[in-house]
Amino acid sequence: MSDTTQELVLAADGRPLKQSLRRALMRQKIRALMLIAPLLLFVVVTFIVPILSMLFRSVENDIVPDTIPGVVTELAEWDGSVGAPPSEQVFRYLYLDLFKASEAKQHTRLGTRLNYEKTGLSSLLRTTGRSLDDVGEEWQDPLEDIDANFKDGAFWYQMMSGTDGEDLLEERRDLWAAMVGESMAGDVGFVPSEQVAQMLPWTTRAYTDFAIWTAIEDEDSVAEEDPWEAVYGALGMDLTNPETVSAIQSYTGPGADALKAAAANVGQLPQTGFREAFAAENEDWLSPDVWATIKLYSSSMTSGYFLNAVDMQLTPDGIEQKPENQQIYTQLFMRTLVMALIITASCVVLGYPVAWLLANLPMRTASILMILVLLPFWTSLLVRTSAWKVLLQQQGVINEILVWLGFVNDADRLILMNNATGTIIAMTHILLPFMILPLYSVMKTIQPSYLRAAKSLGATNWTAFWRVYFPQSVPGIGAGSILVFILAIGYYITPEIVGGTSGVFISNRIAYHISSSLNWGLAAALGSILLVVVLGLYWCYDKIVGIDNVKLGG
């Protein structure tokens, strides 16, 4: 029936037939979608979203720019090739940013992140964070001696409060939210004065940060709390600016007398800058390498995790190979793939005759033997692996039997554990059922009459098996091999227990970074590379063998 005829013919509801057919087909598709929607949602939530999250974490680097945003912005202008530390301005931002981070207990996260790239930065940031109060007191004590009003939290609140500072308040609130990962929403009970902000920019930013944290996190009244030591340090920064001192002379607002007294007695304040203050705490702050690392990893996205995952590193001079004694991940990837292939081949060699026997025995006998094949699934993986540890150790059951039989001298017991041999033996046993079951399901579909026909035409038993039976069992070998190989490269419990140092897989390193070193970015990069390798091998298998030739029976 042509489209024109469908347009002319009307359905029972009076609509054109073509339109009615389209609506009926749409309803069928919607019903089908509703049936699979729960499963689709489950797959998306439990599979797709975690994978995408892992891929994102492997390049995400928000900790540095969110924790020390002022430093990151100012450091962009620093030229690390001159071999000198950055300017005083950068150290001022470092003091205020790091003081905030230490109050929120975020400076340790920053140190941990940077320590992945340069050893020692974690302890540098942790120890410096504990001494920032002392640095601020170097300015606090002289200011309080100049005018006692600086000791009073209510005086500070009156001096810093005003109007037209809502934009600055929200800007500082957003910076807090980015650092701590929370909205920081709520009434602060304080609005900075625009006039004071223009005259004392460092002080206003520091006091606003103090007010937000005090009101939102500490749930205290800003007007009743004494400001942080960082606020005094910020006022010291402002008083080093001649324009600020000049503006204070004509200022008549709240706190004018105290500010004028401070401006008139600048000589009583510390004459050293914040660069010298940080250097006094730890000389490493004057090391260009420290600042080069901070600048290099100040972007919100980084390729550093992926480079580390392939034994390379990002340096100020570009991408470089890691020193030979630090190259471990490429070797681990190769070991994982090679051992997974050996385990897969071992399972094929051991599983094929067992599956053939199960497929050709009487059903009653085969069912009993199948129970023995499935029996390991009823035992904990940890228990099975621990049992192999008992069997394989030098004083274990296998060595004792070999010594008793005279095959091995007591002084030359076999080393079967804490190496690749132990991993291969234990994992072959654990994964063998996953090879036997696909092979058995395929072999059960092979008709015995094919072999009888081949023999009746003069073929020997071997020829009949190799030319007739084996080709029909290849799909089972393919299915079992894919299943065992993919399971093998992802195992970490068995290699961890019996593998020692030479028998562990890349998955053991991923587990280490997730649970011990907490370097989730590197773990995500390693996992992403492993995922790409598996997909690549799957694609190659499809091109060489053909995934259509893989089946589980039928």
Side-chain angles (χ1 to χ4, degrees):
M1 183 179 295
S2 66
D3 291 346
T4 304
T5 305
Q6 290 182 358
E7 291 289 349
L8 294 176
V9 177
L10 300 180
D13 57 1
R15 292 188 177 90
L17 180 59
K18 183 177 181 179
Q19 182 180 355
S20 297
L21 291 174
R22 188 184 303 113
R23 289 169 60 88
L25 182 60
M26 181 60 67
R27 285 195 295 268
Q28 291 179 354
K29 291 181 178 180
I30 293 175
R31 283 197 295 268
L33 179 62
M34 294 300 294
L35 288 174
I36 66 170
L39 177 60
L40 180 62
L41 181 62
F42 176 80
V43 171
V44 169
V45 172
T46 61
F47 185 72
I48 303 298
V49 171
I51 288 180
L52 293 178
S53 176
M54 176 189 69
L55 293 174
F56 175 72
R57 189 177 285 275
S58 64
V59 296
E60 181 266 336
N61 190 50
D62 287 335
I63 293 178
V64 178
D66 286 347
T67 306
I68 49 175
V71 174
V72 169
T73 302
E74 195 68 25
L75 199 60
E77 305 298 327
W78 174 66
D79 184 6
S81 63
V82 299
S87 65
E88 168 71 13
Q89 190 82 344
V90 174
F91 281 90
R92 290 183 174 187
Y93 278 109
L94 176 64
Y95 178 69
L96 296 183
D97 287 345
L98 205 56
F99 197 101
K100 284 176 53 182
S102 64
E103 288 293 330
K105 303 298 187 292
Q106 298 294 314
H107 65 299
T108 54
R109 291 180 63 244
L110 174 66
T112 301
R113 169 66 189 98
L114 293 175
N115 203 68
Y116 298 149
E117 314 302 336
K118 183 175 178 61
T119 304
L121 285 181
S122 178
S123 61
L124 176 62
L125 286 164
R126 185 169 57 252
T127 55
T128 303
R130 290 196 295 262
S131 62
L132 292 177
D133 288 347
D134 297 335
V135 174
E137 287 175 357
E138 294 182 14
W139 279 265
Q140 180 181 1
D141 294 339
L143 285 169
E144 291 178 347
D145 291 340
I146 292 172
D147 193 307
N149 284 316
F150 287 120
K151 299 180 181 180
D152 187 10
F155 166 78
W156 276 99
Y157 179 81
Q158 182 182 14
M159 181 176 67
M160 303 304 298
S161 297
T163 58
D164 301 327
E166 290 82 2
D167 291 342
L168 175 61
L169 177 65
E170 294 307 314
E171 175 188 333
R172 306 309 294 184
R173 190 198 299 267
D174 291 340
L175 291 175
W176 269 119
M179 179 191 295
V180 301
E182 300 176 4
S183 66
M184 299 297 288
D187 181 22
V188 178
F190 164 79
V191 175
S193 168
E194 177 65 19
Q195 182 184 9
V196 175
Q198 293 179 359
M199 182 175 61
L200 305 173
W202 291 102
T203 309
T204 305
R205 287 195 290 265
Y207 189 86
T208 303
D209 290 337
F210 153 75
I212 294 172
W213 186 259
T214 300
I216 305 302
E217 287 296 322
D218 294 341
E219 298 182 351
D220 292 326
S221 173
V222 179
E224 299 175 357
E225 296 295 320
D226 294 337
W228 290 336
E229 290 81 356
V231 178
Y232 294 91
L235 180 56
M237 298 178 194
D238 285 322
L239 291 175
T240 60
N241 186 351
E243 295 181 359
T244 297
V245 175
S246 176
I248 289 175
Q249 301 304 323
S250 59
Y251 175 66
T252 59
D257 293 339
L259 291 175
K260 289 177 181 179
N265 295 277
V266 172
Q268 297 183 26
L269 300 179
Q271 300 305 303
T272 58
F274 281 84
R275 181 161 67 172
E276 289 77 8
F278 274 95
E281 294 298 328
N282 195 311
E283 291 185 355
D284 287 344
W285 284 114
L286 297 182
S287 170
D289 290 341
V290 169
W291 289 101
T293 302
I294 295 175
K295 181 178 180 179
L296 198 61
Y297 290 92
S298 61
S299 173
S300 59
M301 294 291 176
T302 180
S303 60
Y305 291 126
F306 276 103
L307 292 174
N308 287 333
V310 292
D311 294 327
M312 304 184 77
Q313 57 187 346
L314 191 63
T315 70
D317 298 326
I319 298 174
E320 296 179 357
Q321 195 79 24
K322 281 189 173 182
E324 188 173 351
N325 61 348
Q326 297 180 18
Q327 298 179 16
I328 59 174
Y329 295 115
T330 303
Q331 178 183 355
L332 273 176
F333 274 115
M334 294 303 300
R335 178 195 298 169
T336 299
L337 294 176
V338 170
M339 291 181 64
L341 288 173
I342 294 175
I343 293 167
T344 302
S346 301
C347 287
V348 172
V349 172
L350 296 175
Y352 195 95
V354 175
W356 181 87
L357 187 65
L358 291 172
N360 290 277
L361 285 175
M363 181 61 68
R364 181 179 179 84
T365 305
S367 298
I368 295 175
L369 294 179
M370 181 59 72
I371 293 176
L372 298 179
V373 172
L374 298 177
L375 190 61
F377 289 126
W378 302 346
T379 307
S380 168
L381 173 63
L382 185 61
V383 172
R384 282 180 281 162
T385 304
S386 299
W388 275 111
K389 187 174 182 179
V390 174
L391 291 171
L392 296 175
Q393 59 185 331
Q394 285 189 288
Q395 303 301 323
V397 176
I398 294 177
N399 268 298
E400 291 291 344
I401 293 176
L402 293 176
V403 171
W404 179 67
L405 293 175
F407 293 136
V408 176
N409 293 328
D410 188 53
D412 299 321
R413 291 171 178 258
L414 299 179
I415 303 176
L416 301 176
M417 198 180 68
N418 295 330
N419 52 28
T421 303
T423 299
I424 292 172
I425 293 174
M427 289 188 61
T428 298
H429 164 257
I430 290 170
L431 297 178
L432 188 57
F434 294 99
M435 179 65 71
I436 294 175
L437 294 177
L439 283 170
Y440 171 74
S441 64
V442 170
M443 289 177 178
K444 284 295 290 183
T445 65
I446 301 176
Q447 298 297 327
S449 58
Y450 295 159
L451 291 176
R452 292 195 296 268
K455 293 177 183 179
S456 68
L457 295 175
T460 62
N461 289 335
W462 170 251
T463 302
F465 168 78
W466 186 248
R467 299 288 297 276
V468 177
Y469 192 90
F470 181 78
Q472 296 183 75
S473 66
V474 167
I477 296 177
S481 298
I482 290 178
L483 186 59
V484 169
F485 180 81
I486 292 178
L487 288 173
I489 61 176
Y491 257 62
Y492 73 93
I493 294 179
T494 302
E496 185 71 24
I497 294 177
V498 301
T501 57
S502 62
V504 295
F505 287 2
I506 192 65
S507 53
N508 296 97
R509 203 64 186 172
I510 294 173
Y512 165 76
H513 286 307
I514 290 177
S515 60
S516 298
S517 73
L518 301 182
N519 191 348
W520 290 2
L522 180 55
L526 292 170
S528 299
I529 293 175
L530 189 61
L531 175 63
V532 171
V533 169
V534 171
L535 293 177
L537 292 174
Y538 182 84
W539 180 83
C540 292
Y541 184 91
D542 183 36
K543 291 298 181 181
I544 297 172
V545 179
I547 200 65
D548 293 338
N549 295 323
V550 176
K551 60 181 180 179
L552 296 175

